[in-house]
């Protein structure tokens, strides 16, 4: 019996950026269509415009809903005003409205059980703002819409290189005041759980970066390491989470120390993302951990500087699809294993009566 393909819901993102280019390039490869059934929430008209402008070969089917999606083909659900115009590289309010409409439709169909995972193409965080969307980005919006009270954690990853953030899209002037012992513990707990559940790592090792230069230099350059970060690590370590640090952030990546850990927890956005994107941007993936929904996106943005030129690389978007599929499968496998656990057999060393009678078994044989 053939296993049902995973249904990947894809939001079109900003129609004036590189979103459609990387989507169409990704699914020009027939092997991608063997892995999943992709459903783009957007506009067939806009998709056709990008395809023609960029001279791409990708064909697609127009459907009213993911319920009508055709296997072995890219599907497009129309949820955008047909009058919207594509103007490459332009930050436009109508493009922002189209991006939000696609996101809303994808969430609606996810709630209805019509898609399994969500992959979001890049948005312009300014033009998408409206009465319905007053969030710093995708992550916060999806957390509210699909989190069921759970907290999200941003993880940037490429293969075994995974960077998570304590604080996300906030001004630099607020970082120190927002980092608390409780927040670090919350993020470590989510990170540890995700590494186990989503990536199948039984005993993940997490490195934690310092907030201040040189990890505070024994209080000379700041006290947050001693008063906030180290107490958090000690408490979570006592709970069985393998967390280490805090490590000075300036040399941690360049020295290659990151390769000894399953995950790195950075204190703020640029501390984690600047080195990650320098090392792994071409195939980097943004994964929203901690939520019931599996959501990924490419590590790059709208890339207005190259939009419409046909030179955008689809590698990061393709990897985002791969990661969404892998995480979904890992969760399904974990769920199946938990539903039918093997009966545990154990004995207490201090009590001979509970030992397995291996000797008597051998004698019977």
């Amino acid at each position: 019996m053939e296993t049902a393909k995973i249904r990947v819901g894809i939001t079109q993102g900003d129609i004036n950026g590189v979103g459609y280019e990387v989507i169409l390039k990704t699914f020009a490869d027939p092997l991608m269509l063997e892995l999943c059934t992709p459903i783009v929430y957007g506009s067939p008209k806009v998709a056709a415009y990008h395809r023609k402008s960029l001279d791409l070969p990708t064909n697609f089917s127009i459907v009213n809903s993911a319920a009508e999606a055709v296997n072995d083909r890219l599907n497009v659900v129309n949820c955008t005003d047909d009058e919207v115009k594509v103007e490459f590289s332009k930050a436009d309010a109508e493009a922002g409205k189209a991006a939000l409409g696609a996101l809303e439709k994808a969430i609606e169909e996810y709630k209805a059980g019509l898609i399994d995972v969500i992959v979001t193409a890049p948005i312009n965080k300014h033009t998408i703002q409206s009465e319905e969307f007053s969030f710093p980005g995708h992550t916060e919006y999806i957390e509210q819409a699909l989190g069921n009270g759970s907290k999200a954690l941003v993880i940037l990853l490429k293969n075994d290189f995974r960077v998570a953030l304590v604080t996300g899209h906030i001004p630099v002037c607020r970082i120190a005041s927002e980092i608390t012992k409780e927040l670090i513990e919350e993020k470590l707990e989510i990170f540890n759980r995700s590494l186990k559940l989503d990536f199948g790592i039984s005993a993940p090792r997490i490195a934690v970066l310092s907030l201040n230069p040189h990890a505070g230099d024994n209080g000379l350059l700041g006290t947050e390491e001693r008063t906030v970060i180290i107490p958090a690590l000690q408490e979570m370590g006592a709970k069985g989470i393998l967390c280490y640090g805090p490590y000075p952030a300036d040399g941690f990546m360049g020295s290659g120390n990151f390769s000894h850990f399953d995950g790195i927890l950075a204190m703020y956005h640029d501390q984690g993302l600047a080195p990650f994107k320098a090392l792994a941007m071409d195939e980097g993936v943004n994964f929203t951990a901690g939520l019931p929904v599996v959501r990924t996106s490419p590590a790059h943005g709208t890339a207005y500087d190259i939009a419409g030129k046909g030179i955008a690389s689809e590698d990061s978007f393709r990897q985002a699809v791969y990661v969404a599929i892998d995480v979904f499968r890992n969760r399904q496998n974990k769920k199946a294993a938990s539903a039918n656990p093997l009966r545990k057999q154990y004995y207490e060393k201090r009590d001979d009566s509970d030992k397995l009678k291996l000797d008597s078994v051998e004698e019977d044989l």
Side-chain angles (χ1 to χ4, degrees):
M1 181 178 178
E2 186 178 351
T3 304
K5 290 183 181 179
I6 294 172
R7 294 191 161 209
V8 179
I10 300 165
T11 59
Q12 67 180 354
D14 191 301
I15 61 174
N16 294 334
V18 298
Y20 269 109
E21 180 177 348
V22 297
I23 293 169
L24 293 170
K25 284 181 174 178
T26 295
F27 292 103
D29 180 357
L31 293 177
M32 293 298 296
L33 300 173
E34 293 180 12
L35 290 177
C36 64
T37 299
I39 301 103
V40 176
Y41 293 93
S43 165
K45 181 180 176 182
V46 172
Y49 181 87
H50 279 257
R51 180 177 63 184
K52 183 177 180 181
S53 298
L54 302 169
D55 194 23
L56 297 174
T58 317
N59 293 316
F60 57 84
S61 296
I62 302 171
V63 294
N64 294 313
S65 163
E68 302 176 2
V70 180
N71 286 332
D72 302 319
R73 197 171 178 87
L74 182 65
N75 300 268
V76 180
V77 176
N78 189 17
C79 47
T80 300
D81 185 350
D82 282 341
E83 298 304 312
V84 69
K85 294 182 179 179
V86 177
E87 297 182 77
F88 287 122
S89 308
K90 181 180 179 181
D92 180 70
E94 288 302 309
K97 184 179 177 181
L100 178 56
L103 182 58
E104 289 175 332
K105 185 66 174 179
I107 287 174
E108 175 191 322
E109 298 220 322
Y110 176 82
K111 288 180 176 179
L114 299 180
I115 55 176
D116 299 309
V117 300
I118 297 176
V119 179
T120 57
I123 56 172
N124 180 317
K125 293 181 177 64
H126 177 70
T127 61
I128 198 174
Q129 298 297 319
S130 66
E131 291 183 2
E132 295 80 22
F133 192 105
S134 56
F135 300 87
H138 271 124
T139 300
E140 297 81 1
Y141 181 84
I142 292 173
E143 178 185 81
Q144 184 184 83
L146 298 174
N148 295 334
S150 298
K151 295 292 185 180
L153 176 70
V154 173
I155 300 179
L156 274 291
L157 64 104
K158 178 184 177 181
N159 299 326
D160 294 334
F161 181 23
R162 307 175 188 90
V163 178
L165 306 175
V166 174
T167 60
H169 297 117
I170 64 170
V172 172
C173 63
R174 285 171 40 198
I175 291 171
S177 62
E178 297 227 359
I179 292 176
T180 63
K181 174 174 169 285
E182 292 73 24
L183 183 61
I184 293 172
E185 290 173 356
E186 175 187 287
K187 299 300 183 181
L188 277 171
E189 193 166 356
I190 298 171
F191 201 5
N192 184 65
R193 186 167 64 248
S194 178
L195 290 169
K196 289 182 175 182
L197 174 65
D198 300 326
F199 300 99
I201 303 168
S202 58
R205 293 165 51 88
I206 301 172
V208 179
L209 301 184
S210 64
L211 173 64
N212 297 299
H214 306 296
D217 208 358
N218 292 319
L220 182 65
L221 302 177
T223 60
E224 285 84 1
E225 283 70 28
R226 291 192 297 184
T227 61
V228 178
I229 301 176
I230 291 174
L233 298 186
Q234 290 173 338
E235 188 159 325
M236 299 312 286
K239 292 182 179 181
I241 292 179
L242 304 177
C243 50
Y244 307 89
Y247 296 101
D250 60 342
F252 187 78
M253 301 295 189
S255 66
N257 283 339
F258 69 89
S259 64
H260 302 302
F261 297 90
D262 301 298
I264 300 104
L265 184 66
M267 291 294 118
Y268 57 93
H269 186 277
D270 286 11
Q271 183 189 60
L273 269 61
F276 176 85
K277 290 186 177 183
L279 293 170
M281 185 166 180
D282 286 350
E283 294 186 355
V285 175
N286 180 350
F287 168 54
T288 305
L291 303 182
V293 63
V294 176
R295 176 257 169 168
T296 65
S297 68
H300 59 75
T302 57
Y304 282 156
D305 57 325
I306 60 171
K309 297 180 180 179
I311 59 174
S313 170
E314 72 275 21
D315 291 344
S316 182
F317 186 85
R318 184 192 301 112
Q319 291 299 325
V321 175
Y322 287 156
V323 170
I325 292 171
D326 288 345
V327 170
F328 181 80
R329 285 176 175 162
N330 286 340
R331 289 188 181 185
Q332 291 297 100
N333 291 339
K334 183 75 172 180
K335 185 178 179 180
S338 300
N340 299 289
L342 294 173
R343 183 171 61 88
K344 292 183 179 179
Q345 293 183 337
Y346 63 92
Y347 59 89
E348 172 59 57
K349 292 181 180 179
R350 291 169 296 180
D351 186 349
D352 289 344
S353 65
D354 287 336
K355 287 184 179 180
L356 295 176
K357 307 299 183 183
L358 298 177
D359 291 340
S360 63
V361 171
E362 289 175 359
E363 291 171 2
D364 290 341
L365 291 174

